[in-house]
Each structure stands twice: as C-alpha cells, then as structure tokens.
Amino acid sequence: MATDLPTQILHALDTASALPLVSSTAFPNVEATVVKGALDSLQSKEMVVYETVDREVAVLTEEGQSIVNDGSHEAKVYEAVCKAVGGLKISELPKLVGANTAKVGQGKAFKEGWIKKDGDKLVKKATSIKDSSRDQLRTIAETHTHPEKEVLADLKKRKLVIMQKRISFKINKGAKFALQVVKEETDLTAEMIASGAWKTQKFKPYNFAALGAHTPSGALHPLNKVRSEFRNIFFEMGFTEMPTNRFVESGFWNFDTLFVPQQHPARDLQDTFYISDPAVADKPRDDETGETLTEYWNNVREVHQEGKFGSLGYRYPWKEDESLRLVLRTHTTAISAAMLHKLAKNPGPARYFSIDRVFRNETVDATHLAEFHQVEGVIADYNLTLGDLIGFMRTFFGKMGVHQLRFKPAYNPYTEPSMEIFGYHEGLGKWVEIGNSGQFRPEMLEAMGLPKDMRVHGWGLSLERPTMIRYKVSNIRELLGHKVDLGFVEANAAVRLDRE
Ligand code: PHE
C-alpha cells in the first residue's frame, strides 16, 4: 500500500535496526528537499528529531559510466588487437574502436604491457588482462567512493569521476514518536466545546518563533527619518519651526539683508541659480499689511553703500535691480532674516529652526548635489555672548550623540564672529566638519529695527551629512535622486541619534 512519505519515515524508523536512520540509504530516490519537508513537519510535532549531513560523494561521469558498461579504452584496444589475426595495422585501430579510444587506450595498453609494436602492426603481448579501471569505476558506482585516495584522484583527473554534494538526514525518534501522524487542530471551534471533543483533541502548539509575513507598506526616506530626529531635538529645546515654503527668494532676502555684498562670489551665476521667468521680484512687502518695507529697504541700502549703525559699510553703489533678482534660495538663512525682521515688530527672546531644501549651482559629485537640505537654528536674546553660543552647541550636538566639539574661526558676511563646528565622530574615528555658526552682525539686526542689546546666534548644517554617516552611504547619489534603491529606503531602521 502506498503511504505518504511522513508515514513511511515513521515506519522505517520503527523497524530500523541501526539508529539513526539515514535518509539517503532509506529513501535513495527521494529528493533531499522533499525529505526535508516531511521531516520538518514531523519534527514540528516532536515525532522525530533530525540533523542534516552534507557530504561529498564521487559519481561517474558519462564517460565513466560507459567504461563500467563496455570496458575501458585500453581493454577495447587489447580486444581489437586480439581479434585481428596476425596483428592489427596501427592505422586500422581508430576505425575499429573510434579515434578517442584508439588514442587514449593505445598508450595505456602499452604501459600496462598488454600489447606491443611489430613493424606497423600492433600485436598481443599479455595472454590475459585485468581491466582495473573498469573495476575501480564499478566500486565507485556502488559505494560512491574508493578506498584508495590516489585512485580517486586519478579518476577525477581523467574526468571519469566528479565529486557532488549530497544532503542526507540522520533521523531519530522524537518524544512523541508514533506510527500514525495525528492530525492536530489549529482552531478550537464551538462544536468541539459543545460535543466535548476538545478534551481529547490534539491541538497544534503555537509557534511563537514564527516570523510575521512581510507587509508591503510605505517607508520614510532616511533623510526624513533624520529630519524628524532633528525636529524632536529642536522642539525639546523650545524652538518654533519657521515656514520654509519659499524656495524662490529675492536677492534681497537671500543676500542683501544678510550683508552679503553684491559683488560677493556666492552671488555669482556659478554658485547661485537665478530665475529667468519671472526674473525679478517686487520690492519686499510686509506679509500682513502688504505695505512695501521702504524704511528697511533704505536701511539695507545705506548699510551696504555708506555704512550705518556703527558700520562702515562696503562703500559701493548698491543696485536695486540686483537686489530684486529672483534666485533659488542658497540657504535657509534667507528665512531666518525674514523671521528676525518680523521679530523686530515685537522684540523678545526667540528660538527658531527650519529644515528644508536649498539650491547651489555646484558640480555634482559623490558628496555634492545641486540641491540639499539645511538644518538651521536661530536664537535671539538680550546680551548673549559667544560663550552662550558655544555652550548651546555642546548641548545641541550632545543630543545628537556628538560629545566632543571644536570651534574654528571662520567668515560669513552676516556673522561676526563666525565659527566652523567640528565634531569627533566615534564611528569614523576622526574630526568632521558638522556646521557653521556665528553671531549675526549688528548692522544686519539694527537695520531690521531690533534693539541694540539684542544678540542673535545662528547656525546651519546639512541634513545629508549626518544621514550619510548614520546610514553608511558614501555616495550622495545613493541617497537622493533617481539612483536611489527603494529597497535601501525600505530596509533602514529609524534613528535615535542620542542612542548611537
Ligand atoms: N547660512 C550658513 C550656511 O549656509 C549657516 C549659518 C546660518 C551660519 C546662520 C551662521 C548663521 O552654511
């Protein structure tokens, strides 16, 4: 009676004289994957326990098999020579036994001393022969190995035998071994309770180790994950988020309000994307009243052109047209300027931040894109000092897990003093530049109408850099743009910067 494989295994195990039962001998014609399937199901019911054994076995090649069937090349040559009365012409041999057999077999038959040359003929030398190649191959066909290592190596070299991986299973009885596979219920039903069948029914145990099925779903981009971490840090520290929906700004907000002279290299076409249609903005207006900000506009011009509020100015003819040109914002400090200008209406301590996209006309390479994201913070308060800024940076970056900071004097047109911030990155084992910062210049703030004793600190960093370090991405194009691998986006874990 044909029974299913699990039942066959149980029966074989019950009658097996030697334990463990080895699958390759008990079920030689069943594929390993099928045996494994049956064993897994039996093992989950604790009816058997098994282990997998990988081994290498020797199997005959097609040529090896043909030698087992018909004899070796040298034996064929010997036979052909024996049959030919009065010797066999050498040139006749290939016609009788085939070219390959003639070539390989002749040499071997000479070496074995089975035949010899007589003029242009081959004649028999040994009265009888023993075809040991054939015997060796027979042994291998039966046992999948050969007791003599050299023989095996030689046959492999002659391409008569190859080694193959075979998987078999050593099977032992399990704790719940039985000859019948008992069907285990997976659900307790109302009927079982009503009839009382539940008392004797076998239930399949829960598999708490089973992995859940993968549910396809949306995934946050790594930049968004790091962004949300930064936002949490800012909110924790009492910051308000600035509106960042203006990708296009006038030169006025992007540069002039920040005391960036109109000849500054950053304003060059090489560094800044200018908008062609429309190419110019209206004069800056108050968001709420719609009135042109004439006084502020004039202050900015004077600060640049003649100097004001204690500043000598740059002393060049400041051009309105240049200030009205529309640009893709090159930094989010344009927004900080607009927010500080608003703050001047009702001055008081304030903390603002933003995280959004900025644009620079850069040559795209492994670490630079023409657009990236800036993390920016601004703190306004009375009588702040550089020490406050440094102290704040230590707390801020500390929350990101960067505890060693160094500050290097730097230059920004809008801050004095300015500092580059370097952090020691434990993972990379080196100091990396992590931000730019400074104390906004009085001629910038006073032009807005902020009180003289109000100081404003600002700093900025890219969102890409910490993200690349966090996710070990060395080419920015793997993070942003059309080359991004969606699998990478889906598979990456969320970030807790302070826990890393
Ligand atoms: N705007 C600067 C940058 O793009 C960052 C910064 C903001 C520096 C505010 C000082 C003050 O790198």
Side-chain angles (χ1 to χ4, degrees):
M1 192 184 79
T3 44
D4 59 3
L5 188 59
T7 313
Q8 284 178 44
I9 292 174
L10 294 172
H11 280 267
L13 207 50
D14 197 39
T15 51
S17 51
L19 282 173
L21 182 71
V22 179
S23 72
S24 56
T25 34
F27 308 98
N29 300 320
V30 188
E31 276 210 37
T33 47
V34 179
V35 178
K36 183 171 189 315
L39 288 174
D40 280 339
S41 120
L42 290 173
Q43 183 160 267
S44 74
K45 300 185 179 78
E46 295 178 46
M47 298 181 81
V48 305
V49 283
Y50 79 90
E51 57 184 279
T52 309
V53 195
D54 286 340
R55 37 179 204 127
E56 281 228 302
V57 295
V59 283
L60 303 187
T61 62
E62 211 174 297
E63 194 181 351
Q65 187 58 50
S66 80
I67 290 175
V68 171
N69 299 344
D70 310 325
S72 66
H73 300 298
E74 54 274 24
K76 283 184 192 163
V77 169
Y78 176 75
E79 248 168 66
V81 171
C82 289
K83 273 191 203 148
V85 191
L88 177 67
K89 265 190 128 177
I90 296 179
S91 53
E92 289 294 305
L93 185 63
K95 290 176 210 154
L96 289 173
V97 295
N100 186 44
T101 301
K103 202 172 111 209
V104 183
Q106 209 184 138
K108 272 225 131 200
F110 277 127
K111 224 164 117 193
E112 298 282 344
W114 294 350
I115 57 171
K116 63 179 181 195
K117 246 190 197 160
D118 182 10
D120 62 349
K121 283 181 176 171
L122 296 171
V123 291
K124 169 170 141 178
K125 189 175 167 196
T127 45
S128 71
I129 61 159
K130 187 171 150 15
D131 190 352
S132 50
S133 290
R134 188 184 198 176
D135 295 344
Q136 289 161 353
L137 287 167
R138 259 197 201 122
T139 309
I140 287 171
E142 281 156 19
T143 65
H144 290 297
T145 183
H146 196 277
E148 286 165 60
K149 263 201 193 133
E150 308 75 47
V151 170
L152 199 57
D154 179 53
L155 293 173
K156 272 199 272 180
K157 216 166 97 195
R158 286 161 62 193
K159 299 210 167 58
L160 301 176
V161 162
I162 51 163
M163 299 308 286
Q164 263 181 10
K165 255 222 159 101
R166 283 279 164 87
I167 298 173
S168 47
F169 306 96
K170 278 191 193 160
I171 315 162
N172 277 301
K173 286 181 182 174
K176 295 188 185 159
F177 177 80
L179 284 178
Q180 287 283 319
V181 180
V182 184
K183 189 169 180 294
E184 294 179 322
E185 289 296 338
T186 49
D187 285 311
L188 176 66
T189 62
E191 289 76 38
M192 289 178 198
I193 297 173
S195 70
W198 62 273
K199 288 181 203 161
T200 50
Q201 182 61 54
K202 275 218 181 307
F203 289 95
K204 197 176 168 131
Y206 278 109
N207 178 6
F208 292 108
L211 296 174
H214 176 73
T215 14
S217 63
L220 285 183
H221 189 277
L223 281 173
N224 269 331
K225 292 182 196 161
V226 177
R227 176 173 177 268
S228 87
E229 262 299 286
F230 273 113
R231 288 182 89 227
N232 286 342
I233 293 174
F234 277 116
F235 287 136
E236 246 173 57
M237 299 184 84
F239 282 74
T240 319
E241 193 160 17
M242 298 189 260
T244 52
N245 50 2
R246 269 159 54 172
F247 283 22
V248 177
E249 288 279 4
S250 60
F252 181 75
W253 288 113
N254 196 78
F255 296 123
D256 294 300
T257 59
L258 293 165
F259 203 48
V260 179
Q262 295 187 333
Q263 306 75 24
H264 194 279
R267 296 180 76 143
D268 206 286
L269 251 178
Q270 249 84 61
D271 294 288
T272 302
F273 289 114
Y274 284 89
I275 304 289
S276 55
D277 185 18
V280 288
D282 293 341
K283 276 197 179 172
R285 280 189 297 253
D286 185 301
D287 277 357
E288 282 148 33
T289 64
E291 275 172 46
T292 306
L293 302 171
T294 313
E295 191 190 340
Y296 182 37
W297 174 265
N298 289 337
N299 276 347
V300 168
R301 188 194 55 235
E302 281 174 60
V303 163
H304 279 250
Q305 203 165 275
E306 291 100 25
K308 201 176 178 182
F309 309 110
S311 167
L312 289 175
Y314 290 116
R315 295 164 184 265
Y316 69 93
W318 185 79
K319 293 200 198 92
E320 291 198 356
D321 290 352
E322 194 59 41
S323 193
L324 295 177
R325 284 177 83 181
L326 284 171
V327 302
L328 284 180
R329 68 173 176 227
T330 62
H331 52 186
T332 42
T333 318
I335 302 156
S336 301
M339 290 298 288
L340 290 170
H341 175 261
K342 252 184 218 159
L343 182 67
K345 280 188 185 173
N346 185 13
R351 291 181 164 204
Y352 301 131
F353 82 94
S354 69
I355 307 174
D356 210 342
R357 205 168 277 221
V358 299
F359 307 87
R360 290 188 194 169
N361 197 352
E362 299 212 51
T363 316
V364 173
D365 64 23
T367 52
H368 293 90
L369 288 180
E371 48 190 299
F372 62 98
H373 297 78
Q374 247 182 0
V375 180
E376 170 133 348
V378 171
I379 300 178
D381 210 336
Y382 297 98
N383 299 315
L384 287 176
T385 66
L386 193 65
D388 291 319
L389 176 58
I390 292 176
F392 177 84
M393 288 299 144
R394 293 202 189 281
T395 318
F396 178 76
F397 284 103
K399 282 181 184 278
M400 289 165 52
V402 182
H403 296 288
Q404 294 185 66
L405 292 185
R406 275 181 188 168
F407 299 90
K408 184 179 149 193
Y411 173 78
N412 293 310
Y414 38 93
T415 51
E416 184 59 42
S418 311
M419 298 182 302
E420 270 169 9
I421 308 160
F422 288 78
Y424 187 78
H425 191 277
E426 302 285 349
L428 301 178
K430 63 175 182 186
W431 290 92
V432 289
E433 198 200 321
I434 49 175
N436 175 15
S437 68
Q439 183 155 321
F440 286 112
R441 299 181 76 103
E443 57 266 67
M444 172 191 147
L445 302 176
E446 284 180 44
M448 294 171 169
L450 283 166
K452 261 187 178 318
D453 55 352
M454 176 148 259
R455 306 267 182 280
V456 183
H457 291 154
W459 72 98
L461 54 138
S462 88
L463 182 63
E464 277 74 4
R465 186 159 210 161
T467 307
M468 286 170 79
I469 295 174
R470 168 63 180 75
Y471 289 103
K472 299 195 167 60
V473 175
S474 55
N475 189 332
I476 199 163
R477 283 167 285 198
E478 285 167 27
L479 195 63
L480 216 62
H482 64 285
K483 285 190 182 156
V484 171
D485 169 10
L486 290 181
F488 161 77
V489 172
E490 271 188 2
N492 270 315
V495 191
R496 285 303 305 268
L497 292 170
D498 55 331
R499 305 268 166 95
E500 283 169 42

